[in-house]
Amino acid sequence: AAAAAGAASVAVGAGLAWLGSEARPTAADCESSRESRGSSSGDNAEEFTELSNWSGTHTVRTRHFYQPESVEEVERIVRECHAAGRKLRPLGSGLSPNGLGLSEEGVISLGLLDGIVEVDRARAQVTVRAGTLIADLGRALRPHGLTLQTYASVRDQQVGGYTQVSAHGSGLEATPVDAQVVRLKLVTPGRGTLVLTPADGAAFELAKVGLGALGVVVEVTLQCVPAHRLLERSFVATHDEIRRLHRTWLTSSLHLKYLWLPYTPHAVVFLYEKVSPDFVLRSHIRLNDKHVLHPLRTLLRTLLRERREQREQEPQQHGKGQQQQQQ
């Protein structure tokens, strides 16, 4: 709809920048969907593409927007921008609440550069292109009996952004993602395409969490772990309960996370423990949405009741205040 109206307004999310759930656009489609500004004759027209991060907190109109489908295309784009002295920012899924991946001069999205390159079962490693979604990577690893060591709360990140910001999990044994990178391919403006491993020392350590500032990551090799099953327990707790039980939960669970309920003294607690492949949940209750949402519904009713009582008391307090002023 935006392209038909002559504007390119692109929401970044679910892996790359495009609107709707139809087929993903090619680089040519993105080029043709840019908006032109200037005189009606086209003289001195300036083209730009409007981009927004996933949460909509940052928006930018960039003059040059690229969606390459191969490493060779990335290399060409980086060379051209370097020769022109033009800034270029790599963009993942845009899930970060900041505007780090956005630039008015140029943005390169790796969403079309996706797919598995190789799965090495013997080393439990996977080599993957930077635009691959974490959700897709997890599904691709399953037939090989492998999984990633760390997942964030959502799985819509691209591998490039997921590693470059060193996404983290939760738990005493859950390392940040950069600790799981064993090799990466980086397209740089000054030194061409580099393949970095631990043998490269500080350059490798810096590039693993480069935030897109050292070049464009196009390929990553990650250390995986054997696939396993997790049992999740979730419930609502008060902040006082969390302070008292945090250490116990942290040491007794493989993963632990909290989701604070804004404007309340409560949070949802998630505890995860590893269970055997033949584990069966011994429960006579078949959980459905009603059971899962019951704690949140109960909390909402409590908050609404407290708010109603507070409002009922406000007129009384206001009347007492007026009496005191008159006296």
Side-chain angles (χ1 to χ4, degrees), residues 143-315:
H144 301 279
L146 299 173
T147 189
L148 298 177
Q149 298 182 48
T150 301
Y151 286 99
S153 295
V154 294
R155 300 186 181 186
D156 289 329
Q157 310 99 321
Q158 292 177 16
V159 168
Y162 170 78
T163 55
Q164 281 292 282
V165 302
S166 190
H168 63 85
S170 53
L172 288 177
E173 299 180 6
T175 64
V177 172
D178 68 287
Q180 301 155 33
V181 176
V182 297
R183 174 185 172 275
L184 62 84
K185 183 179 291 187
L186 185 71
V187 179
T188 71
R191 299 183 59 186
T193 301
L194 305 176
V195 176
L196 300 174
T197 67
D200 294 293
F204 177 64
E205 297 299 326
L206 290 170
K208 285 195 298 181
V209 198
L211 301 177
L214 302 179
V216 181
V217 173
V218 293
E219 190 176 286
V220 180
T221 300
L222 294 168
Q223 185 65 51
C224 302
V225 295
H228 52 273
R229 298 180 68 196
L230 293 176
L231 175 65
E232 176 191 285
R233 291 195 296 123
S234 60
F235 51 90
V236 176
T238 65
H239 292 179
D240 290 338
E241 290 173 327
I242 291 173
R243 292 188 187 97
R244 187 175 74 253
L245 297 171
H246 172 71
R247 186 175 295 275
T248 299
W249 290 337
L250 185 63
T251 55
S252 62
S253 304
L254 182 63
H255 300 290
L256 164 67
K257 69 178 181 181
Y258 303 118
L259 293 181
W260 174 52
L261 300 172
Y263 310 108
T264 76
H266 301 83
V268 183
V269 181
F270 295 86
L271 305 178
Y272 299 86
E273 61 179 291
K274 190 181 295 187
V275 295
S276 63
D278 57 351
F279 173 81
V280 177
L281 183 62
R282 306 233 177 247
S283 173
H284 298 292
I285 300 175
R286 185 175 181 83
L287 295 180
N288 53 33
D289 288 345
K290 180 179 178 181
H291 295 96
V292 172
L293 296 175
H294 176 72
L296 294 177
R297 289 196 179 104
T298 302
L299 176 60
L300 179 59
R301 292 191 186 102
T302 301
L303 294 174
L304 290 174
R305 185 180 66 252
E306 292 176 352
R307 180 57 178 159
R308 184 170 59 251
E309 293 173 352
Q310 181 183 359
R311 287 179 175 175
E312 291 174 352
Q313 294 174 1
E314 287 175 354

